Coordinates of all heavy atoms in Angstrom, one line a residue:
M1 N 0.8 -1.2 0.0 CA 0.0 0.0 0.0 C 0.9 1.3 0.0 O 0.8 2.1 -0.9 CB -0.9 0.0 1.2 CG -1.9 1.1 1.2 SD -3.0 1.1 -0.2 CE -3.8 2.6 -0.1
T2 N 1.7 1.4 1.0 CA 2.6 2.5 1.1 C 3.4 2.6 -0.2 O 3.7 3.7 -0.8 CB 3.6 2.4 2.3 OG1 2.8 2.0 3.4 CG2 4.3 3.6 2.5
R3 N 3.9 1.4 -0.7 CA 4.7 1.4 -1.9 C 3.9 2.0 -3.1 O 4.5 2.7 -3.8 CB 5.1 0.0 -2.1 CG 6.2 -0.1 -3.1 CD 6.7 -1.6 -3.3 NE 7.8 -1.5 -4.2 CZ 9.0 -1.5 -3.8 NH1 9.3 -1.4 -2.5 NH2 10.0 -1.4 -4.7
S4 N 2.7 1.6 -3.2 CA 1.9 2.0 -4.4 C 1.7 3.5 -4.3 O 1.7 4.2 -5.4 CB 0.6 1.2 -4.6 OG -0.1 1.4 -3.4
I5 N 1.5 4.0 -3.1 CA 1.3 5.5 -3.0 C 2.6 6.2 -3.4 O 2.6 7.2 -4.2 CB 1.0 5.9 -1.5 CG1 -0.4 5.3 -1.2 CG2 1.0 7.4 -1.4 CD1 -0.8 5.5 0.3
A6 N 3.7 5.6 -3.0 CA 5.0 6.2 -3.3 C 5.2 6.2 -4.8 O 5.7 7.2 -5.4 CB 6.2 5.5 -2.6
V7 N 4.8 5.1 -5.5 CA 5.0 5.0 -6.9 C 4.1 6.1 -7.6 O 4.5 6.8 -8.5 CB 4.6 3.6 -7.4 CG1 4.5 3.6 -8.9 CG2 5.6 2.6 -6.9
L8 N 2.9 6.3 -7.0 CA 2.0 7.3 -7.6 C 2.6 8.7 -7.5 O 2.5 9.4 -8.4 CB 0.7 7.2 -6.8 CG -0.6 7.7 -7.5 CD1 -0.9 6.7 -8.6 CD2 -1.7 7.8 -6.5
V9 N 3.1 9.0 -6.3 CA 3.7 10.3 -6.1 C 4.8 10.5 -7.0 O 5.0 11.5 -7.6 CB 4.1 10.4 -4.6 CG1 4.9 11.7 -4.4 CG2 2.9 10.5 -3.7
F10 N 5.6 9.4 -7.2 CA 6.8 9.5 -8.0 C 6.3 9.8 -9.5 O 6.8 10.7 -10.2 CB 7.6 8.2 -8.0 CG 8.8 8.3 -8.8 CD1 9.9 9.1 -8.4 CD2 8.9 7.6 -10.0 CE1 11.0 9.2 -9.2 CE2 10.0 7.7 -10.8 CZ 11.1 8.4 -10.4
A11 N 5.3 9.1 -9.9 CA 4.7 9.3 -11.2 C 4.3 10.7 -11.4 O 4.5 11.3 -12.5 CB 3.6 8.3 -11.5
C12 N 3.7 11.3 -10.4 CA 3.2 12.7 -10.5 C 4.4 13.6 -10.7 O 4.4 14.5 -11.5 CB 2.5 13.1 -9.2 SG 0.9 12.3 -9.0
F13 N 5.5 13.4 -9.9 CA 6.7 14.2 -10.1 C 7.2 14.1 -11.5 O 7.5 15.1 -12.1 CB 7.8 13.6 -9.2 CG 7.9 14.2 -7.9 CD1 7.6 13.5 -6.7 CD2 8.3 15.5 -7.7 CE1 7.7 14.0 -5.5 CE2 8.4 16.1 -6.5 CZ 8.1 15.3 -5.3
V14 N 7.2 12.9 -12.1 CA 7.7 12.7 -13.5 C 6.8 13.5 -14.4 O 7.3 14.2 -15.3 CB 7.8 11.2 -13.8 CG1 8.2 11.1 -15.3 CG2 8.8 10.6 -12.9
M15 N 5.5 13.4 -14.2 CA 4.5 14.1 -15.1 C 4.6 15.6 -15.0 O 4.3 16.3 -15.9 CB 3.1 13.6 -14.8 CG 2.9 12.2 -15.4 SD 1.2 11.6 -15.2 CE 1.0 11.4 -13.5
V16 N 5.0 16.1 -13.8 CA 5.0 17.5 -13.6 C 6.0 18.2 -14.7 O 5.8 19.3 -15.1 CB 5.5 17.9 -12.2 CG1 6.0 19.3 -12.1 CG2 4.3 17.7 -11.2
G17 N 6.9 17.4 -15.1 CA 7.8 17.9 -16.2 C 9.2 17.7 -15.7 O 9.6 17.9 -14.6
H18 N 10.1 17.4 -16.7 CA 11.4 17.0 -16.3 C 12.2 18.1 -15.6 O 12.7 17.8 -14.5 CB 12.2 16.5 -17.6 CG 13.1 15.4 -17.3 ND1 12.6 14.2 -16.8 CD2 14.4 15.3 -17.3 CE1 13.6 13.4 -16.6 NE2 14.7 14.0 -16.9
S19 N 12.3 19.3 -16.2 CA 13.2 20.3 -15.6 C 12.7 20.6 -14.2 O 13.6 20.7 -13.3 CB 13.1 21.5 -16.5 OG 11.8 21.9 -16.7
Q20 N 11.4 20.7 -14.0 CA 10.9 21.1 -12.7 C 11.2 19.9 -11.7 O 11.7 20.2 -10.6 CB 9.4 21.3 -12.8 CG 9.0 22.5 -12.0 CD 7.5 22.7 -12.2 OE1 6.9 22.3 -13.3 NE2 6.8 23.2 -11.2
A21 N 10.9 18.7 -12.1 CA 11.0 17.5 -11.2 C 12.5 17.3 -10.8 O 12.8 16.9 -9.7 CB 10.5 16.3 -11.9
E22 N 13.4 17.7 -11.7 CA 14.8 17.5 -11.5 C 15.3 18.2 -10.2 O 16.1 17.6 -9.5 CB 15.6 18.0 -12.7 CG 16.9 17.3 -13.0 CD 16.7 15.9 -13.5 OE1 16.1 15.7 -14.6 OE2 17.0 15.0 -12.7
S23 N 14.9 19.4 -10.0 CA 15.5 20.2 -9.0 C 14.6 20.3 -7.8 O 15.0 20.7 -6.7 CB 15.9 21.6 -9.5 OG 14.7 22.2 -10.1
A24 N 13.3 20.0 -8.0 CA 12.3 20.3 -6.9 C 12.4 19.4 -5.7 O 11.9 18.2 -5.9 CB 10.9 20.4 -7.5
A25 N 12.9 19.8 -4.6 CA 12.8 19.0 -3.4 C 11.6 19.4 -2.7 O 11.2 20.5 -2.7 CB 14.1 19.3 -2.6
P26 N 10.9 18.4 -2.0 CA 9.7 18.7 -1.2 C 10.2 19.7 -0.2 O 11.3 19.7 0.3 CB 9.3 17.4 -0.6 CG 10.0 16.3 -1.4 CD 11.2 16.9 -2.0
A27 N 9.3 20.7 0.2 CA 9.6 21.7 1.2 C 10.1 21.0 2.5 O 11.0 21.5 3.2 CB 8.4 22.5 1.5
A28 N 9.5 19.9 2.9 CA 9.9 19.2 4.1 C 11.4 18.7 4.0 O 12.1 18.7 5.0 CB 9.0 18.0 4.3
Y29 N 11.8 18.4 2.8 CA 13.2 18.0 2.7 C 14.2 19.1 3.0 O 15.1 19.0 3.7 CB 13.5 17.4 1.3 CG 14.9 16.8 1.2 CD1 15.1 15.5 1.6 CD2 16.0 17.5 0.8 CE1 16.4 14.9 1.6 CE2 17.3 17.0 0.8 CZ 17.5 15.7 1.2 OH 18.7 15.2 1.1
T30 N 13.9 20.2 2.3 CA 14.7 21.4 2.5 C 14.8 21.9 3.9 O 15.8 22.2 4.5 CB 14.2 22.6 1.6 OG1 13.6 22.0 0.5 CG2 15.3 23.5 1.1
A31 N 13.6 21.8 4.6 CA 13.5 22.3 5.9 C 14.0 21.3 7.0 O 14.6 21.8 8.0 CB 12.0 22.6 6.2
K32 N 13.9 20.0 6.8 CA 14.2 19.1 7.9 C 15.2 18.0 7.6 O 15.7 17.3 8.5 CB 12.9 18.4 8.2 CG 11.7 19.3 8.7 CD 10.8 18.6 9.6 CE 10.0 19.6 10.5 NZ 9.0 20.3 9.8
C33 N 15.6 17.9 6.4 CA 16.6 16.8 6.0 C 17.9 17.3 5.4 O 18.9 16.7 5.6 CB 15.9 15.8 5.0 SG 14.2 15.5 5.3
Q34 N 17.8 18.4 4.7 CA 18.9 18.8 3.9 C 20.2 19.1 4.8 O 21.3 18.9 4.3 CB 18.5 20.0 3.1 CG 19.5 20.4 2.0 CD 18.9 21.4 1.0 OE1 17.8 21.1 0.5 NE2 19.5 22.5 0.8
M35 N 20.0 19.6 6.0 CA 21.1 20.0 6.8 C 22.0 18.8 7.1 O 23.2 19.0 7.3 CB 20.7 20.8 8.1 CG 20.0 20.0 9.1 SD 18.3 19.6 8.6 CE 17.4 20.5 9.8
C36 N 21.5 17.6 7.1 CA 22.3 16.5 7.3 C 22.6 15.7 6.0 O 23.7 15.2 5.8 CB 21.7 15.5 8.3 SG 21.6 16.2 10.0
H37 N 21.5 15.5 5.2 CA 21.6 14.7 4.0 C 22.1 15.4 2.8 O 22.5 14.8 1.8 CB 20.3 14.0 3.8 CG 20.0 12.9 4.8 ND1 20.7 11.7 4.9 CD2 19.2 12.9 5.9 CE1 20.3 11.0 5.9 NE2 19.4 11.7 6.5
G38 N 22.1 16.8 2.8 CA 22.6 17.5 1.7 C 21.6 17.7 0.6 O 20.7 16.9 0.5
A39 N 21.7 18.7 -0.2 CA 20.8 19.0 -1.3 C 20.6 17.8 -2.2 O 19.5 17.6 -2.8 CB 21.2 20.3 -2.0
T40 N 21.7 17.1 -2.5 CA 21.6 16.0 -3.4 C 21.6 14.6 -2.7 O 21.8 13.6 -3.4 CB 22.7 16.1 -4.4 OG1 24.0 16.1 -3.7 CG2 22.6 17.3 -5.3
G41 N 21.4 14.6 -1.4 CA 21.3 13.3 -0.7 C 22.6 12.6 -0.5 O 22.6 11.4 -0.2
L42 N 23.7 13.3 -0.6 CA 25.0 12.7 -0.5 C 25.5 12.6 1.0 O 26.5 12.0 1.3 CB 26.1 13.4 -1.3 CG 25.9 13.2 -2.8 CD1 26.9 14.0 -3.6 CD2 25.9 11.8 -3.3
G43 N 24.8 13.3 1.9 CA 25.2 13.4 3.3 C 26.5 14.1 3.5 O 27.3 13.9 4.4
D44 N 26.8 15.1 2.5 CA 28.1 15.7 2.5 C 28.1 17.1 3.2 O 29.0 17.9 3.0 CB 28.6 15.8 1.1 CG 27.6 16.5 0.2 OD1 26.5 16.8 0.7 OD2 27.9 16.8 -1.0
T45 N 27.2 17.3 4.1 CA 27.2 18.5 4.9 C 28.0 18.3 6.1 O 28.3 17.2 6.5 CB 25.7 18.9 5.3 OG1 25.3 17.9 6.2 CG2 24.8 19.1 4.1
P46 N 28.4 19.4 6.8 CA 29.2 19.2 8.0 C 28.5 18.3 9.0 O 29.1 17.4 9.6 CB 29.4 20.6 8.5 CG 29.3 21.5 7.3 CD 28.3 20.8 6.4
A47 N 27.2 18.5 9.2 CA 26.4 17.7 10.2 C 26.3 16.3 9.7 O 26.5 15.3 10.5 CB 25.0 18.3 10.4
G48 N 26.1 16.1 8.4 CA 26.0 14.8 7.8 C 27.3 14.0 8.0 O 27.3 12.8 8.4
K49 N 28.4 14.7 7.7 CA 29.7 14.0 7.8 C 30.0 13.6 9.3 O 30.5 12.6 9.6 CB 30.8 14.9 7.3 CG 30.9 14.9 5.8 CD 32.1 15.7 5.4 CE 32.0 16.2 3.9 NZ 32.8 17.3 3.7
A50 N 29.7 14.6 10.2 CA 30.0 14.4 11.6 C 29.2 13.2 12.2 O 29.7 12.4 13.0 CB 29.7 15.6 12.4
M51 N 27.9 13.0 11.6 CA 27.1 11.9 12.2 C 27.2 10.7 11.4 O 26.6 9.6 11.8 CB 25.6 12.4 12.2 CG 25.4 13.5 13.2 SD 23.7 13.9 13.2 CE 23.8 15.6 13.8
G52 N 27.8 10.7 10.3 CA 28.0 9.5 9.5 C 26.7 9.1 8.6 O 26.4 8.0 8.5
A53 N 26.1 10.2 8.1 CA 25.0 9.9 7.1 C 25.5 9.4 5.8 O 26.4 10.0 5.2 CB 24.2 11.2 6.9
R54 N 25.0 8.3 5.4 CA 25.4 7.7 4.1 C 24.8 8.4 3.0 O 23.6 8.8 3.1 CB 25.1 6.2 4.0 CG 26.0 5.3 4.8 CD 25.6 3.9 4.7 NE 24.3 3.7 5.5 CZ 23.9 2.6 5.9 NH1 24.5 1.5 5.5 NH2 22.8 2.5 6.6
P55 N 25.4 8.4 1.8 CA 24.7 8.9 0.6 C 23.4 8.0 0.4 O 23.5 6.8 0.5 CB 25.7 8.7 -0.6 CG 27.0 8.4 0.1 CD 26.7 7.9 1.4
F56 N 22.3 8.6 0.0 CA 21.1 7.8 -0.3 C 21.4 6.9 -1.5 O 20.7 5.8 -1.6 CB 19.9 8.7 -0.7 CG 19.4 9.5 0.5 CD1 18.9 10.8 0.4 CD2 19.3 8.9 1.7 CE1 18.4 11.5 1.4 CE2 18.7 9.5 2.8 CZ 18.3 10.8 2.7
K57 N 22.4 7.1 -2.3 CA 22.6 6.2 -3.4 C 23.6 5.1 -3.1 O 24.0 4.3 -4.0 CB 22.9 6.9 -4.7 CG 24.1 7.8 -4.7 CD 24.3 8.5 -6.1 CE 25.3 9.6 -6.1 NZ 25.2 10.4 -7.2
A58 N 24.0 5.0 -1.8 CA 24.8 3.9 -1.4 C 24.0 2.6 -1.6 O 22.8 2.6 -1.3 CB 25.2 4.0 0.0
P59 N 24.7 1.5 -2.0 CA 23.9 0.3 -2.3 C 23.1 -0.2 -1.1 O 22.0 -0.7 -1.3 CB 25.0 -0.7 -2.6 CG 26.3 0.1 -3.0 CD 26.1 1.4 -2.3
E60 N 23.6 0.0 0.1 CA 22.9 -0.5 1.3 C 21.5 0.3 1.4 O 20.5 -0.3 1.9 CB 23.6 -0.2 2.6 CG 25.0 -0.8 2.6 CD 26.1 0.2 2.2 OE1 26.0 0.6 1.0 OE2 26.9 0.6 3.0
V61 N 21.5 1.5 1.0 CA 20.3 2.3 1.1 C 19.4 2.0 0.0 O 18.2 1.9 0.2 CB 20.6 3.8 1.2 CG1 19.3 4.6 1.4 CG2 21.6 4.1 2.3
V62 N 19.9 1.9 -1.2 CA 19.1 1.6 -2.4 C 18.3 0.3 -2.2 O 17.2 0.2 -2.6 CB 20.0 1.5 -3.7 CG1 19.2 1.0 -4.9 CG2 20.6 2.8 -4.0
K63 N 19.0 -0.7 -1.5 CA 18.3 -2.0 -1.4 C 17.2 -2.0 -0.3 O 16.4 -3.0 -0.2 CB 19.3 -3.2 -1.3 CG 20.0 -3.3 0.0 CD 20.9 -4.6 -0.1 CE 21.3 -5.1 1.2 NZ 22.2 -4.4 2.0
E64 N 17.2 -1.0 0.5 CA 16.1 -0.9 1.5 C 14.8 -0.6 0.9 O 14.7 0.1 -0.1 CB 16.5 0.1 2.6 CG 17.6 -0.3 3.5 CD 18.0 0.7 4.5 OE1 18.4 1.8 4.2 OE2 17.9 0.4 5.7
S65 N 13.7 -1.3 1.4 CA 12.4 -1.1 0.8 C 11.8 0.3 1.2 O 12.3 0.9 2.2 CB 11.5 -2.2 1.3 OG 11.2 -2.1 2.6
D66 N 10.8 0.7 0.6 CA 10.1 1.9 1.0 C 9.6 1.8 2.4 O 9.6 2.8 3.2 CB 8.9 2.2 0.0 CG 9.3 2.7 -1.3 OD1 10.6 2.7 -1.6 OD2 8.5 3.0 -2.2
A67 N 9.2 0.6 2.8 CA 8.7 0.5 4.2 C 9.8 0.6 5.2 O 9.7 1.2 6.2 CB 8.1 -0.9 4.3
D68 N 11.0 0.2 4.8 CA 12.2 0.3 5.7 C 12.5 1.8 5.8 O 12.8 2.3 6.9 CB 13.5 -0.3 5.0 CG 13.4 -1.9 5.0 OD1 12.7 -2.4 5.8 OD2 14.0 -2.5 4.1
L69 N 12.5 2.5 4.7 CA 12.8 4.0 4.7 C 11.8 4.7 5.6 O 12.2 5.6 6.4 CB 12.9 4.6 3.3 CG 13.9 4.0 2.3 CD1 13.9 4.7 1.0 CD2 15.3 4.0 2.9
L70 N 10.5 4.3 5.4 CA 9.5 5.0 6.2 C 9.7 4.8 7.7 O 9.6 5.7 8.5 CB 8.1 4.4 5.7 CG 6.9 5.1 6.4 CD1 6.8 6.5 6.0 CD2 5.6 4.3 6.1
A71 N 10.1 3.5 8.0 CA 10.3 3.2 9.4 C 11.5 4.0 10.0 O 11.4 4.5 11.1 CB 10.6 1.7 9.6
I72 N 12.5 4.2 9.2 CA 13.7 5.0 9.6 C 13.3 6.5 9.8 O 13.6 7.1 10.8 CB 14.8 4.9 8.6 CG1 15.4 3.4 8.6 CG2 16.0 5.9 8.9 CD1 16.3 3.1 7.5
I73 N 12.5 7.0 8.9 CA 12.1 8.4 9.0 C 11.2 8.6 10.2 O 11.3 9.5 11.0 CB 11.4 8.9 7.7 CG1 12.3 8.8 6.5 CG2 10.8 10.3 7.8 CD1 11.6 9.0 5.1
K74 N 10.3 7.6 10.4 CA 9.4 7.8 11.6 C 10.1 7.6 12.9 O 9.9 8.3 13.9 CB 8.3 6.7 11.5 CG 7.2 7.0 10.6 CD 6.0 6.0 10.8 CE 4.8 6.5 10.0 NZ 3.9 5.4 9.8
N75 N 11.0 6.6 13.0 CA 11.5 6.2 14.3 C 13.0 6.6 14.5 O 13.5 6.4 15.6 CB 11.5 4.6 14.4 CG 10.1 4.1 14.1 OD1 9.1 4.7 14.5 ND2 10.0 3.0 13.5
G76 N 13.6 7.1 13.4 CA 15.0 7.4 13.5 C 15.9 6.2 13.5 O 15.4 5.1 13.4
K77 N 17.2 6.4 13.4 CA 18.2 5.3 13.3 C 19.5 5.9 13.7 O 19.9 6.9 13.2 CB 18.2 4.8 11.9 CG 19.1 3.7 11.6 CD 19.2 3.3 10.2 CE 20.3 2.3 9.9 NZ 20.6 2.2 8.5
G78 N 20.2 5.3 14.7 CA 21.4 5.8 15.1 C 21.3 7.3 15.6 O 20.4 7.6 16.3
K79 N 22.0 8.2 14.9 CA 22.0 9.6 15.3 C 20.9 10.4 14.5 O 20.7 11.5 14.7 CB 23.3 10.3 15.0 CG 24.4 9.7 15.8 CD 25.6 10.6 15.9 CE 26.7 10.1 16.8 NZ 27.6 9.2 16.2
M80 N 20.2 9.6 13.6 CA 19.1 10.3 12.8 C 17.9 10.4 13.7 O 17.5 9.5 14.3 CB 18.8 9.4 11.7 CG 17.4 9.5 11.1 SD 17.4 10.3 9.6 CE 15.6 10.3 9.3
P81 N 17.4 11.7 13.8 CA 16.2 11.9 14.7 C 15.0 11.3 14.2 O 14.9 11.1 13.0 CB 16.1 13.4 14.7 CG 16.9 14.0 13.6 CD 17.9 12.9 13.2
A82 N 14.0 11.0 15.0 CA 12.7 10.4 14.6 C 11.8 11.6 14.2 O 11.8 12.6 14.8 CB 12.1 9.7 15.8
F83 N 11.0 11.4 13.1 CA 10.1 12.4 12.6 C 8.7 12.1 12.8 O 7.8 12.8 12.3 CB 10.5 12.7 11.2 CG 11.7 13.5 11.0 CD1 12.9 12.9 10.8 CD2 11.7 14.9 11.2 CE1 14.1 13.6 10.7 CE2 12.9 15.7 11.1 CZ 14.1 15.0 10.8
A84 N 8.4 11.0 13.5 CA 6.9 10.7 13.8 C 6.3 11.8 14.5 O 6.9 12.3 15.5 CB 6.8 9.4 14.6
G85 N 5.2 12.3 14.1 CA 4.5 13.4 14.8 C 5.0 14.8 14.3 O 4.4 15.8 14.6
K86 N 6.1 14.8 13.6 CA 6.6 16.1 13.1 C 6.3 16.2 11.6 O 6.3 17.3 11.1 CB 8.1 16.1 13.3 CG 8.5 16.1 14.7 CD 10.0 16.4 14.9 CE 10.4 16.2 16.3 NZ 11.7 15.6 16.4
L87 N 6.1 15.1 10.9 CA 5.7 15.1 9.5 C 4.5 14.2 9.3 O 4.4 13.2 10.0 CB 6.9 14.5 8.7 CG 8.2 15.3 8.6 CD1 9.3 14.4 8.0 CD2 8.1 16.6 7.8
N88 N 3.6 14.6 8.4 CA 2.5 13.7 8.2 C 2.8 12.7 7.1 O 3.9 12.7 6.5 CB 1.2 14.6 7.8 CG 1.4 15.3 6.5 OD1 2.0 14.9 5.6 ND2 0.8 16.5 6.5
D89 N 1.9 11.7 7.0 CA 2.1 10.6 6.1 C 2.4 11.1 4.6 O 3.3 10.5 4.0 CB 0.9 9.6 6.0 CG 0.9 8.8 7.3 OD1 1.8 8.9 8.2 OD2 -0.1 8.1 7.5
A90 N 1.7 12.1 4.2 CA 1.9 12.5 2.8 C 3.3 13.1 2.6 O 3.9 12.9 1.6 CB 0.8 13.6 2.4
E91 N 3.7 13.9 3.7 CA 5.1 14.4 3.6 C 6.1 13.3 3.6 O 7.1 13.4 2.8 CB 5.3 15.4 4.8 CG 4.6 16.7 4.7 CD 4.6 17.5 6.0 OE1 4.5 16.9 7.1 OE2 4.8 18.7 5.8
M92 N 5.9 12.3 4.4 CA 6.9 11.2 4.4 C 6.9 10.5 3.1 O 8.0 10.1 2.6 CB 6.6 10.2 5.6 CG 6.8 10.9 6.9 SD 6.9 9.7 8.2 CE 6.4 10.6 9.6
T93 N 5.7 10.3 2.5 CA 5.7 9.6 1.2 C 6.4 10.4 0.2 O 7.1 9.8 -0.7 CB 4.2 9.4 0.8 OG1 3.5 8.7 1.9 CG2 4.0 8.6 -0.4
S94 N 6.2 11.7 0.2 CA 6.9 12.5 -0.8 C 8.4 12.5 -0.6 O 9.2 12.6 -1.5 CB 6.3 13.9 -0.9 OG 6.8 14.7 0.2
L95 N 8.8 12.4 0.7 CA 10.2 12.4 1.0 C 10.8 11.1 0.4 O 12.0 11.1 -0.1 CB 10.5 12.5 2.5 CG 10.2 13.9 3.0 CD1 10.2 13.8 4.6 CD2 11.2 14.9 2.5
I96 N 10.1 10.0 0.6 CA 10.6 8.7 0.1 C 10.8 8.7 -1.4 O 11.8 8.3 -2.0 CB 9.8 7.5 0.6 CG1 9.9 7.4 2.1 CG2 10.1 6.2 -0.1 CD1 8.9 6.4 2.7
A97 N 9.7 9.3 -2.1 CA 9.8 9.4 -3.5 C 11.0 10.3 -3.9 O 11.7 10.0 -4.9 CB 8.5 10.1 -4.0
Y98 N 11.3 11.3 -3.2 CA 12.4 12.2 -3.5 C 13.7 11.5 -3.3 O 14.6 11.6 -4.1 CB 12.3 13.5 -2.6 CG 13.4 14.5 -3.0 CD1 13.4 15.0 -4.3 CD2 14.4 14.8 -2.2 CE1 14.4 15.9 -4.7 CE2 15.4 15.7 -2.5 CZ 15.4 16.3 -3.8 OH 16.3 17.2 -4.2
I99 N 13.8 10.7 -2.2 CA 15.0 9.9 -2.0 C 15.2 8.9 -3.1 O 16.4 8.8 -3.7 CB 14.9 9.1 -0.6 CG1 15.0 10.1 0.5 CG2 16.0 8.1 -0.5 CD1 14.6 9.4 1.9
R100 N 14.2 8.3 -3.6 CA 14.3 7.4 -4.8 C 14.8 8.1 -6.0 O 15.6 7.6 -6.8 CB 12.9 6.7 -5.1 CG 12.4 5.8 -4.0 CD 13.4 4.6 -3.8 NE 12.9 3.6 -2.9 CZ 13.7 2.9 -2.1 NH1 15.0 3.0 -2.2 NH2 13.2 2.0 -1.3
K101 N 14.4 9.4 -6.1 CA 14.8 10.2 -7.3 C 16.3 10.5 -7.2 O 17.0 10.5 -8.2 CB 14.0 11.5 -7.3 CG 13.7 12.0 -8.7 CD 12.4 12.7 -8.8 CE 12.3 14.0 -7.9 NZ 13.1 15.1 -8.4
L102 N 16.7 10.8 -6.0 CA 18.1 11.1 -5.8 C 19.0 9.9 -6.0 O 20.2 10.0 -6.3 CB 18.4 11.6 -4.3 CG 17.7 13.0 -4.0 CD1 17.9 13.3 -2.5 CD2 18.3 14.1 -4.9
Q103 N 18.5 8.7 -5.8 CA 19.2 7.5 -6.0 C 19.5 7.2 -7.5 O 20.3 6.4 -7.9 CB 18.5 6.3 -5.4 CG 18.5 6.3 -3.9 CD 17.7 5.2 -3.2 OE1 16.8 4.6 -3.9 NE2 17.9 5.0 -2.0
Ligands
HEC201 C1 20.5 15.6 12.4 C2 20.9 15.0 11.2 C3 19.8 14.3 10.3 C4 18.6 14.8 9.9 C5 18.0 16.2 10.2 C6 18.0 13.8 9.1 N1 18.8 12.7 9.0 FE1 18.4 11.0 8.0 N2 20.1 10.1 8.8 C7 21.0 10.8 9.6 C8 22.1 9.8 9.9 C9 23.3 10.2 10.8 C10 21.7 8.6 9.3 C11 22.5 7.3 9.4 C12 21.9 6.5 10.6 C13 22.7 5.2 10.8 O1 22.9 4.5 9.8 O2 23.1 5.0 11.9 C14 20.5 8.8 8.6 C15 19.8 7.9 7.9 C16 18.7 8.1 7.1 C17 18.1 7.1 6.3 C18 18.5 5.7 6.1 C19 19.6 5.6 5.1 C20 20.6 4.7 5.6 O3 21.8 5.2 5.8 O4 20.3 3.5 5.9 C21 17.0 7.7 5.7 C22 16.0 7.1 4.7 C23 17.0 9.1 6.1 N3 18.0 9.3 7.0 C24 16.1 10.0 5.7 C25 15.9 11.3 6.3 C26 14.8 12.2 6.0 C27 13.8 11.9 5.0 C28 15.0 13.3 6.8 C29 14.2 14.5 6.9 C30 12.8 14.3 7.3 C31 16.2 13.1 7.6 N4 16.8 11.8 7.2 C32 16.8 14.0 8.5 C33 21.0 12.1 10.0 C34 19.9 13.0 9.8

């Protein structure tokens, strides 16, 4: 279920148009994720490096399912803070779609 929603959101991104979809990060990403994971998801910010955030396109992250990513965003992992209660389901779904795009 979550997966099909993510696919749908991703399809919308693609349909919005290539140039726009290419650079458009969800507002929640810019506000809450970018300081650690970086604009392109490489984890190459000072905070990301200090905490050991992996690039989203690392093979270990690519092979995680959408449900795994959702659980990490909700519950946190290691030094990654939990976002349950801070983001709604639609925001989390769009973040997963964006992570997939960065991969
Ligand atoms: C304070 C820094 C910080 C913020 C803010 C942050 N993360 Fe993370 N994130 C991390 C770190 C560090 C890890 C690696 C955790 C580990 O493997 O121990 C991580 C891991 C992840 C992973 C799993 C990838 C992996 O390495 O297995 C996902 C997915 C993720 N973050 C998504 C997000 C999203 C989406 C947001 C914004 C809502 C976000 N993060 C905000 C620091 C952060």
Side-chain angles (χ1 to χ4, degrees):
M1 186 60 190
T2 312
R3 195 178 182 90
S4 57
I5 294 172
V7 170
L8 202 72
V9 170
F10 182 73
C12 292
F13 268 113
V14 174
M15 282 186 292
V16 162
H18 214 64
S19 53
Q20 225 178 329
E22 209 67 68
S23 55
Y29 187 87
T30 330
K32 301 207 158 72
C33 319
Q34 191 166 307
M35 68 287 245
C36 292
H37 289 285
T40 56
L42 294 177
D44 53 355
T45 63
K49 282 188 201 154
M51 291 184 204
R54 279 178 292 198
F56 287 142
K57 58 182 170 197
E60 305 92 296
V61 184
V62 172
K63 73 177 199 291
E64 286 181 299
S65 69
D66 287 2
D68 293 334
L69 299 183
L70 182 66
I72 293 168
I73 297 171
K74 277 190 174 162
N75 307 323
K77 180 185 173 195
K79 298 201 176 85
M80 154 106 182
F83 286 93
K86 296 188 188 142
L87 293 169
N88 62 35
D89 286 355
E91 286 171 320
M92 292 197 205
T93 305
S94 75
L95 288 171
I96 292 169
Y98 186 63
I99 290 171
R100 293 299 183 209
K101 210 147 65 73
L102 294 173
Q103 290 174 339

